[in-house]
Amino acid sequence: NCLIISFIATSADALFSPNPAQSQIIVSDRISNTVIINALGQIVLTSSASTIDISCLSNGIYHLQLTGRNGKTYDQTLLKTN
């Protein structure tokens, strides 16, 4: 017997949008700081702004570490496209 569990993020779970994104992301007002990390584990961008310009990033998958105003840290994934 196999148990398959699937999780689909809803808009209520998303702390930024859009995803995938081309040139910018808009971060929830619940977030105070955003760190974007590439596939090599390198920090490529840090911002406390609610709108973040990602046009300088290469296409690919990025890890986002989002720090909430409540002090909690959230991990999410961003797909950067052209």
Side-chain angles (χ1 to χ4, degrees):
N1 292 340
C2 292
L3 174 63
I4 299 173
I5 299 173
S6 177
F7 174 77
I8 299 173
T10 65
S11 59
D13 298 323
L15 296 173
F16 70 94
S17 65
N19 194 15
Q22 295 180 353
S23 60
Q24 70 179 17
I25 58 173
I26 299 169
V27 180
S28 166
D29 59 2
R30 299 179 300 179
I31 299 301
S32 62
N33 190 55
T34 302
V35 177
I36 301 178
I37 302 167
N38 67 14
L40 299 175
Q42 301 164 322
I43 295 174
V44 292
L45 200 149
T46 301
S47 179
S48 59
S50 59
T51 301
I52 301 173
D53 180 1
I54 60 166
S55 60
C56 62
L57 299 179
S58 300
N59 289 350
I61 298 172
Y62 292 85
H63 175 76
L64 272 65
Q65 289 181 341
L66 304 133
T67 303
R69 298 198 185 282
N70 60 4
K72 290 185 180 180
T73 301
Y74 304 92
D75 295 313
Q76 296 198 344
T77 302
L78 166 68
L79 176 59
K80 165 66 169 74
T81 61
N82 273 344

